[in-house]
mmCIF file of all heavy atoms in Angstrom:
data_model
loop_
_atom_site.group_PDB
_atom_site.id
_atom_site.type_symbol
_atom_site.label_atom_id
_atom_site.label_comp_id
_atom_site.label_asym_id
_atom_site.label_seq_id
_atom_site.Cartn_x
_atom_site.Cartn_y
_atom_site.Cartn_z
ATOM 1 N N LEU J 40 14.987 0.770 -8.083
ATOM 2 C CA LEU J 40 13.964 1.354 -7.178
ATOM 3 C C LEU J 40 13.573 2.716 -7.697
ATOM 4 O O LEU J 40 14.481 3.552 -8.115
ATOM 5 C CB LEU J 40 14.545 1.519 -5.792
ATOM 6 C CG LEU J 40 14.926 0.185 -5.049
ATOM 7 C CD1 LEU J 40 15.407 0.500 -3.607
ATOM 8 C CD2 LEU J 40 13.632 -0.720 -4.937
ATOM 9 N N GLN J 43 8.693 7.471 -4.486
ATOM 10 C CA GLN J 43 7.510 8.340 -4.508
ATOM 11 C C GLN J 43 7.476 9.167 -3.256
ATOM 12 O O GLN J 43 7.657 8.668 -2.155
ATOM 13 C CB GLN J 43 6.236 7.508 -4.603
ATOM 14 C CG GLN J 43 5.035 8.416 -4.833
ATOM 15 C CD GLN J 43 3.718 7.609 -4.952
ATOM 16 O OE1 GLN J 43 3.487 6.560 -4.360
ATOM 17 N NE2 GLN J 43 2.776 8.129 -5.778
ATOM 18 N N GLU J 57 8.962 6.751 -0.570
ATOM 19 C CA GLU J 57 8.804 5.300 -0.540
ATOM 20 C C GLU J 57 9.485 4.680 -1.713
ATOM 21 O O GLU J 57 9.257 5.033 -2.852
ATOM 22 C CB GLU J 57 7.295 4.950 -0.551
ATOM 23 C CG GLU J 57 7.092 3.439 -0.627
ATOM 24 C CD GLU J 57 5.625 2.990 -0.587
ATOM 25 O OE1 GLU J 57 4.727 3.815 -0.604
ATOM 26 O OE2 GLU J 57 5.410 1.764 -0.519
ATOM 27 N N ALA J 58 10.329 3.710 -1.442
ATOM 28 C CA ALA J 58 11.008 2.985 -2.488
ATOM 29 C C ALA J 58 10.117 1.927 -3.098
ATOM 30 O O ALA J 58 9.492 1.135 -2.329
ATOM 31 C CB ALA J 58 12.302 2.331 -1.951
ATOM 32 N N LEU J 59 9.967 1.897 -4.377
ATOM 33 C CA LEU J 59 9.085 0.893 -5.082
ATOM 34 C C LEU J 59 9.890 0.211 -6.181
ATOM 35 O O LEU J 59 10.509 0.868 -7.002
ATOM 36 C CB LEU J 59 7.844 1.585 -5.648
ATOM 37 C CG LEU J 59 6.938 2.234 -4.602
ATOM 38 C CD1 LEU J 59 6.118 3.364 -5.176
ATOM 39 C CD2 LEU J 59 6.041 1.228 -3.941
ATOM 40 N N ILE J 60 9.878 -1.095 -6.100
ATOM 41 C CA ILE J 60 10.730 -1.871 -7.022
ATOM 42 C C ILE J 60 10.117 -1.909 -8.432
ATOM 43 O O ILE J 60 8.905 -1.966 -8.619
ATOM 44 C CB ILE J 60 11.033 -3.263 -6.491
ATOM 45 C CG1 ILE J 60 12.196 -3.908 -7.244
ATOM 46 C CG2 ILE J 60 9.752 -4.143 -6.595
ATOM 47 C CD1 ILE J 60 12.665 -5.213 -6.597
ATOM 48 N N ARG J 61 10.977 -1.899 -9.456
ATOM 49 C CA ARG J 61 10.585 -2.152 -10.810
ATOM 50 C C ARG J 61 11.648 -3.047 -11.454
ATOM 51 O O ARG J 61 12.829 -3.060 -10.992
ATOM 52 C CB ARG J 61 10.618 -0.852 -11.671
ATOM 53 C CG ARG J 61 9.339 -0.035 -11.633
ATOM 54 C CD ARG J 61 9.426 1.075 -10.537
ATOM 55 N NE ARG J 61 8.240 1.841 -10.387
ATOM 56 C CZ ARG J 61 7.226 1.460 -9.626
ATOM 57 N NH1 ARG J 61 7.260 0.299 -8.949
ATOM 58 N NH2 ARG J 61 6.147 2.165 -9.481
ATOM 59 N N PRO J 71 6.205 -3.423 -13.750
ATOM 60 C CA PRO J 71 5.774 -3.123 -12.418
ATOM 61 C C PRO J 71 5.802 -4.277 -11.467
ATOM 62 O O PRO J 71 5.698 -5.455 -11.948
ATOM 63 C CB PRO J 71 4.364 -2.566 -12.621
ATOM 64 C CG PRO J 71 3.879 -3.128 -13.941
ATOM 65 C CD PRO J 71 5.084 -3.412 -14.752
ATOM 66 N N PRO J 72 5.873 -4.014 -10.139
ATOM 67 C CA PRO J 72 6.057 -5.153 -9.156
ATOM 68 C C PRO J 72 4.907 -6.141 -9.226
ATOM 69 O O PRO J 72 5.110 -7.338 -8.934
ATOM 70 C CB PRO J 72 6.185 -4.440 -7.846
ATOM 71 C CG PRO J 72 5.682 -3.037 -8.040
ATOM 72 C CD PRO J 72 5.931 -2.718 -9.479
ATOM 73 N N GLY J 73 3.683 -5.679 -9.498
ATOM 74 C CA GLY J 73 2.581 -6.548 -9.576
ATOM 75 C C GLY J 73 2.718 -7.694 -10.549
ATOM 76 O O GLY J 73 2.062 -8.758 -10.459
ATOM 77 N N LEU J 76 6.375 -9.749 -8.485
ATOM 78 C CA LEU J 76 6.520 -10.087 -7.038
ATOM 79 C C LEU J 76 5.626 -11.310 -6.621
ATOM 80 O O LEU J 76 6.022 -12.094 -5.870
ATOM 81 C CB LEU J 76 6.180 -8.851 -6.172
ATOM 82 C CG LEU J 76 7.255 -7.788 -6.090
ATOM 83 C CD1 LEU J 76 6.899 -6.717 -5.110
ATOM 84 C CD2 LEU J 76 8.620 -8.366 -5.774
ATOM 85 N N GLU J 85 12.528 -14.482 -3.078
ATOM 86 C CA GLU J 85 11.785 -13.359 -2.514
ATOM 87 C C GLU J 85 12.638 -12.680 -1.384
ATOM 88 O O GLU J 85 12.649 -11.443 -1.297
ATOM 89 C CB GLU J 85 10.469 -13.892 -1.878
ATOM 90 C CG GLU J 85 9.608 -12.776 -1.311
ATOM 91 C CD GLU J 85 8.386 -13.249 -0.571
ATOM 92 O OE1 GLU J 85 8.305 -14.481 -0.227
ATOM 93 O OE2 GLU J 85 7.514 -12.400 -0.297
ATOM 94 N N VAL J 92 16.545 -4.779 -1.861
ATOM 95 C CA VAL J 92 15.773 -3.563 -1.742
ATOM 96 C C VAL J 92 16.266 -2.785 -0.498
ATOM 97 O O VAL J 92 16.504 -1.529 -0.640
ATOM 98 C CB VAL J 92 14.329 -3.885 -1.607
ATOM 99 C CG1 VAL J 92 13.493 -2.637 -1.253
ATOM 100 C CG2 VAL J 92 13.730 -4.410 -2.934
ATOM 101 N N ASN J 115 9.208 -1.474 1.357
ATOM 102 C CA ASN J 115 8.126 -2.433 1.601
ATOM 103 C C ASN J 115 8.716 -3.733 2.040
ATOM 104 O O ASN J 115 9.579 -4.289 1.402
ATOM 105 C CB ASN J 115 7.242 -2.592 0.359
ATOM 106 C CG ASN J 115 6.487 -1.288 0.046
ATOM 107 O OD1 ASN J 115 5.475 -1.018 0.676
ATOM 108 N ND2 ASN J 115 6.978 -0.530 -0.917
ATOM 109 N N VAL J 116 8.143 -4.322 3.128
ATOM 110 C CA VAL J 116 8.657 -5.634 3.563
ATOM 111 C C VAL J 116 7.442 -6.542 3.678
ATOM 112 O O VAL J 116 6.458 -6.224 4.334
ATOM 113 C CB VAL J 116 9.343 -5.428 4.960
ATOM 114 C CG1 VAL J 116 9.816 -6.787 5.456
ATOM 115 C CG2 VAL J 116 10.538 -4.530 4.813
ATOM 116 N N SER J 117 7.545 -7.696 3.003
ATOM 117 C CA SER J 117 6.456 -8.645 3.125
ATOM 118 C C SER J 117 6.483 -9.340 4.510
ATOM 119 O O SER J 117 7.520 -9.439 5.156
ATOM 120 C CB SER J 117 6.628 -9.714 2.058
ATOM 121 O OG SER J 117 7.634 -10.548 2.290
ATOM 122 N N GLU J 148 7.666 -0.522 5.683
ATOM 123 C CA GLU J 148 6.211 -0.624 5.503
ATOM 124 C C GLU J 148 5.855 -2.102 5.442
ATOM 125 O O GLU J 148 6.251 -2.809 4.537
ATOM 126 C CB GLU J 148 5.778 0.094 4.207
ATOM 127 C CG GLU J 148 6.038 1.562 4.194
ATOM 128 C CD GLU J 148 5.401 2.298 3.033
ATOM 129 O OE1 GLU J 148 4.646 1.688 2.205
ATOM 130 O OE2 GLU J 148 5.670 3.530 2.907
ATOM 131 N N LEU J 150 3.775 -5.236 4.811
ATOM 132 C CA LEU J 150 2.659 -5.653 3.934
ATOM 133 C C LEU J 150 2.077 -6.939 4.400
ATOM 134 O O LEU J 150 2.704 -7.748 5.046
ATOM 135 C CB LEU J 150 3.247 -5.892 2.469
ATOM 136 C CG LEU J 150 3.929 -4.716 1.777
ATOM 137 C CD1 LEU J 150 4.745 -5.270 0.641
ATOM 138 C CD2 LEU J 150 2.905 -3.742 1.312
ATOM 139 N N GLU J 151 0.811 -7.175 3.966
ATOM 140 C CA GLU J 151 0.113 -8.464 4.193
ATOM 141 C C GLU J 151 0.213 -8.869 5.685
ATOM 142 O O GLU J 151 0.530 -10.002 5.949
ATOM 143 C CB GLU J 151 0.755 -9.526 3.340
ATOM 144 C CG GLU J 151 0.724 -9.275 1.857
ATOM 145 C CD GLU J 151 2.059 -9.474 1.151
ATOM 146 O OE1 GLU J 151 2.915 -10.224 1.709
ATOM 147 O OE2 GLU J 151 2.262 -8.926 0.114
ATOM 148 N N ASP J 178 1.135 -0.994 6.037
ATOM 149 C CA ASP J 178 0.704 -0.645 4.684
ATOM 150 C C ASP J 178 -0.733 -1.121 4.418
ATOM 151 O O ASP J 178 -1.205 -2.038 4.993
ATOM 152 C CB ASP J 178 1.685 -1.313 3.685
ATOM 153 C CG ASP J 178 1.870 -0.461 2.446
ATOM 154 O OD1 ASP J 178 1.066 0.515 2.200
ATOM 155 O OD2 ASP J 178 2.825 -0.734 1.694
ATOM 156 N N ASP J 179 -1.337 -0.461 3.451
ATOM 157 C CA ASP J 179 -2.677 -0.849 2.955
ATOM 158 C C ASP J 179 -3.603 -1.043 4.133
ATOM 159 O O ASP J 179 -4.414 -2.001 4.122
ATOM 160 C CB ASP J 179 -2.565 -2.109 2.122
ATOM 161 C CG ASP J 179 -1.665 -1.913 0.914
ATOM 162 O OD1 ASP J 179 -1.348 -0.764 0.563
ATOM 163 O OD2 ASP J 179 -1.208 -2.948 0.391
ATOM 164 N N LYS J 199 -0.941 3.493 7.077
ATOM 165 C CA LYS J 199 -1.137 4.036 5.745
ATOM 166 C C LYS J 199 -2.543 3.599 5.242
ATOM 167 O O LYS J 199 -2.843 2.425 5.149
ATOM 168 C CB LYS J 199 -0.114 3.472 4.772
ATOM 169 C CG LYS J 199 1.321 3.978 5.132
ATOM 170 C CD LYS J 199 2.273 3.682 3.983
ATOM 171 C CE LYS J 199 2.146 4.658 2.861
ATOM 172 N NZ LYS J 199 3.110 4.368 1.768
ATOM 173 N N ASP J 201 -5.194 2.669 2.774
ATOM 174 C CA ASP J 201 -5.087 2.110 1.455
ATOM 175 C C ASP J 201 -5.722 3.009 0.410
ATOM 176 O O ASP J 201 -6.746 3.641 0.650
ATOM 177 C CB ASP J 201 -5.748 0.709 1.373
ATOM 178 C CG ASP J 201 -5.461 0.025 0.075
ATOM 179 O OD1 ASP J 201 -4.311 -0.244 -0.152
ATOM 180 O OD2 ASP J 201 -6.440 -0.198 -0.678
ATOM 181 N N GLN J 202 -5.078 3.011 -0.780
ATOM 182 C CA GLN J 202 -5.613 3.929 -1.819
ATOM 183 C C GLN J 202 -7.010 3.595 -2.310
ATOM 184 O O GLN J 202 -7.684 4.540 -2.847
ATOM 185 C CB GLN J 202 -4.620 3.948 -2.958
ATOM 186 C CG GLN J 202 -4.201 2.623 -3.536
ATOM 187 C CD GLN J 202 -3.228 2.692 -4.708
ATOM 188 O OE1 GLN J 202 -3.664 3.102 -5.821
ATOM 189 N NE2 GLN J 202 -1.986 2.487 -4.445
ATOM 190 N N ARG J 206 -9.620 6.565 -3.051
ATOM 191 C CA ARG J 206 -10.264 6.688 -4.358
ATOM 192 C C ARG J 206 -11.768 6.582 -4.234
ATOM 193 O O ARG J 206 -12.507 7.348 -4.897
ATOM 194 C CB ARG J 206 -9.758 5.578 -5.272
ATOM 195 C CG ARG J 206 -10.047 5.820 -6.784
ATOM 196 C CD ARG J 206 -9.447 4.678 -7.612
ATOM 197 N NE ARG J 206 -7.983 4.564 -7.340
ATOM 198 C CZ ARG J 206 -7.404 3.401 -7.036
ATOM 199 N NH1 ARG J 206 -8.125 2.302 -7.023
ATOM 200 N NH2 ARG J 206 -6.110 3.309 -6.867
ATOM 201 N N GLU J 235 -2.695 7.167 1.029
ATOM 202 C CA GLU J 235 -2.123 6.796 -0.258
ATOM 203 C C GLU J 235 -3.132 7.167 -1.376
ATOM 204 O O GLU J 235 -4.329 7.208 -1.138
ATOM 205 C CB GLU J 235 -1.887 5.231 -0.327
ATOM 206 C CG GLU J 235 -0.970 4.719 0.668
ATOM 207 C CD GLU J 235 -0.817 3.158 0.433
ATOM 208 O OE1 GLU J 235 -1.771 2.519 0.030
ATOM 209 O OE2 GLU J 235 0.279 2.705 0.691
ATOM 210 N N GLY J 236 -2.636 7.203 -2.585
ATOM 211 C CA GLY J 236 -3.552 7.337 -3.742
ATOM 212 C C GLY J 236 -4.188 8.692 -3.828
ATOM 213 O O GLY J 236 -5.337 8.813 -4.362
ATOM 214 N N VAL J 237 -3.479 9.726 -3.372
ATOM 215 C CA VAL J 237 -4.076 11.090 -3.507
ATOM 216 C C VAL J 237 -3.822 11.559 -4.888
ATOM 217 O O VAL J 237 -2.654 11.841 -5.274
ATOM 218 C CB VAL J 237 -3.405 11.992 -2.394
ATOM 219 C CG1 VAL J 237 -3.897 13.451 -2.598
ATOM 220 C CG2 VAL J 237 -3.730 11.496 -1.027
ATOM 221 N N GLU J 238 -4.895 11.648 -5.671
ATOM 222 C CA GLU J 238 -4.721 12.005 -7.066
ATOM 223 C C GLU J 238 -5.192 13.379 -7.383
ATOM 224 O O GLU J 238 -4.760 13.981 -8.370
ATOM 225 C CB GLU J 238 -5.479 10.976 -7.942
ATOM 226 C CG GLU J 238 -4.875 9.551 -7.831
ATOM 227 C CD GLU J 238 -5.554 8.508 -8.767
ATOM 228 O OE1 GLU J 238 -6.561 8.873 -9.378
ATOM 229 O OE2 GLU J 238 -4.985 7.395 -8.845
ATOM 230 N N GLN J 255 0.378 10.961 -0.059
ATOM 231 C CA GLN J 255 1.181 10.354 -1.095
ATOM 232 C C GLN J 255 0.250 10.021 -2.249
ATOM 233 O O GLN J 255 -0.846 9.474 -2.007
ATOM 234 C CB GLN J 255 1.836 9.057 -0.522
ATOM 235 C CG GLN J 255 2.696 8.282 -1.484
ATOM 236 C CD GLN J 255 3.258 7.059 -0.788
ATOM 237 O OE1 GLN J 255 3.010 6.771 0.411
ATOM 238 N NE2 GLN J 255 4.065 6.280 -1.528
ATOM 239 N N GLY J 256 0.643 10.310 -3.447
ATOM 240 C CA GLY J 256 -0.226 9.935 -4.593
ATOM 241 C C GLY J 256 0.264 10.592 -5.864
ATOM 242 O O GLY J 256 1.097 11.497 -5.866
ATOM 243 N N TYR J 257 -0.319 10.121 -6.952
ATOM 244 C CA TYR J 257 0.058 10.623 -8.312
ATOM 245 C C TYR J 257 -0.146 12.147 -8.399
ATOM 246 O O TYR J 257 0.535 12.832 -9.053
ATOM 247 C CB TYR J 257 -0.787 9.937 -9.372
ATOM 248 C CG TYR J 257 -0.419 8.472 -9.648
ATOM 249 C CD1 TYR J 257 -1.239 7.719 -10.486
ATOM 250 C CD2 TYR J 257 0.695 7.921 -9.040
ATOM 251 C CE1 TYR J 257 -0.873 6.423 -10.758
ATOM 252 C CE2 TYR J 257 1.041 6.605 -9.304
ATOM 253 C CZ TYR J 257 0.196 5.835 -10.150
ATOM 254 O OH TYR J 257 0.551 4.517 -10.451
ATOM 255 N N GLY J 258 -1.190 12.642 -7.682
ATOM 256 C CA GLY J 258 -1.459 14.115 -7.730
ATOM 257 C C GLY J 258 -0.325 14.929 -7.122
ATOM 258 O O GLY J 258 -0.204 16.125 -7.418
ATOM 259 N N GLY J 260 3.115 13.433 -6.500
ATOM 260 C CA GLY J 260 4.304 13.071 -7.267
ATOM 261 C C GLY J 260 4.207 11.572 -7.597
ATOM 262 O O GLY J 260 3.787 10.759 -6.722
ATOM 263 N N PRO J 262 5.954 7.879 -8.579
ATOM 264 C CA PRO J 262 7.254 7.249 -8.339
ATOM 265 C C PRO J 262 8.249 7.663 -9.424
ATOM 266 O O PRO J 262 7.839 7.631 -10.600
ATOM 267 C CB PRO J 262 6.948 5.759 -8.356
ATOM 268 C CG PRO J 262 5.471 5.640 -8.112
ATOM 269 C CD PRO J 262 4.838 6.888 -8.672
HETATM 270 P P1 C2E D 301 2.180 -0.083 -1.985
HETATM 271 O O1 C2E D 301 3.337 -0.309 -1.064
HETATM 272 O O2 C2E D 301 0.891 0.166 -1.311
HETATM 273 O O3 C2E D 301 2.608 1.079 -2.905
HETATM 274 C C1 C2E D 301 1.749 2.018 -3.539
HETATM 275 C C2 C2E D 301 1.431 1.630 -4.909
HETATM 276 O O4 C2E D 301 0.450 2.512 -5.465
HETATM 277 C C3 C2E D 301 2.606 1.795 -5.909
HETATM 278 O O5 C2E D 301 2.388 0.879 -6.961
HETATM 279 C C4 C2E D 301 2.444 3.218 -6.426
HETATM 280 O O6 C2E D 301 3.045 3.404 -7.688
HETATM 281 C C5 C2E D 301 0.930 3.253 -6.557
HETATM 282 N N1 C2E D 301 0.396 4.592 -6.419
HETATM 283 C C6 C2E D 301 0.860 5.607 -5.698
HETATM 284 N N2 C2E D 301 0.116 6.754 -5.827
HETATM 285 C C7 C2E D 301 -0.926 6.357 -6.600
HETATM 286 C C8 C2E D 301 -2.087 7.087 -7.082
HETATM 287 O O7 C2E D 301 -2.301 8.247 -6.786
HETATM 288 N N3 C2E D 301 -2.955 6.403 -7.852
HETATM 289 C C9 C2E D 301 -2.769 5.093 -8.196
HETATM 290 N N4 C2E D 301 -3.670 4.438 -8.991
HETATM 291 N N5 C2E D 301 -1.681 4.343 -7.770
HETATM 292 C C10 C2E D 301 -0.784 5.027 -6.971
HETATM 293 P P2 C2E D 301 3.574 -0.100 -7.453
HETATM 294 O O8 C2E D 301 4.880 0.620 -7.474
HETATM 295 O O9 C2E D 301 3.068 -0.769 -8.700
HETATM 296 O O10 C2E D 301 3.621 -1.167 -6.321
HETATM 297 C C11 C2E D 301 2.519 -2.009 -6.028
HETATM 298 C C12 C2E D 301 2.756 -2.768 -4.717
HETATM 299 O O11 C2E D 301 3.843 -3.699 -4.889
HETATM 300 C C13 C2E D 301 3.127 -1.926 -3.544
HETATM 301 O O12 C2E D 301 2.016 -1.349 -2.980
HETATM 302 C C14 C2E D 301 3.798 -2.944 -2.617
HETATM 303 O O13 C2E D 301 2.788 -3.676 -1.994
HETATM 304 C C15 C2E D 301 4.463 -3.851 -3.647
HETATM 305 N N6 C2E D 301 5.923 -3.486 -3.681
HETATM 306 C C16 C2E D 301 6.479 -2.481 -4.395
HETATM 307 N N7 C2E D 301 7.796 -2.465 -4.225
HETATM 308 C C17 C2E D 301 8.075 -3.473 -3.366
HETATM 309 C C18 C2E D 301 9.254 -3.960 -2.742
HETATM 310 O O14 C2E D 301 10.381 -3.457 -2.971
HETATM 311 N N8 C2E D 301 9.157 -5.064 -1.911
HETATM 312 C C19 C2E D 301 7.954 -5.594 -1.651
HETATM 313 N N9 C2E D 301 7.870 -6.643 -0.828
HETATM 314 N N10 C2E D 301 6.830 -5.213 -2.197
HETATM 315 C C20 C2E D 301 6.856 -4.076 -3.030
#
Side-chain angles (χ1 to χ4, degrees):
L40 294 181
Q43 187 178 32
E57 175 177 6
L59 295 156
I60 195 169
R61 276 97 183 81
L76 285 186
E85 181 187 15
V92 168
N115 292 284
V116 178
S117 70
E148 295 192 4
L150 301 162
E151 299 131 22
D178 210 346
D179 302 343
K199 293 192 78 178
D201 189 64
Q202 51 180 284
R206 196 174 307 128
E235 299 183 326
V237 176
E238 295 186 350
Q255 177 180 1
Y257 289 172

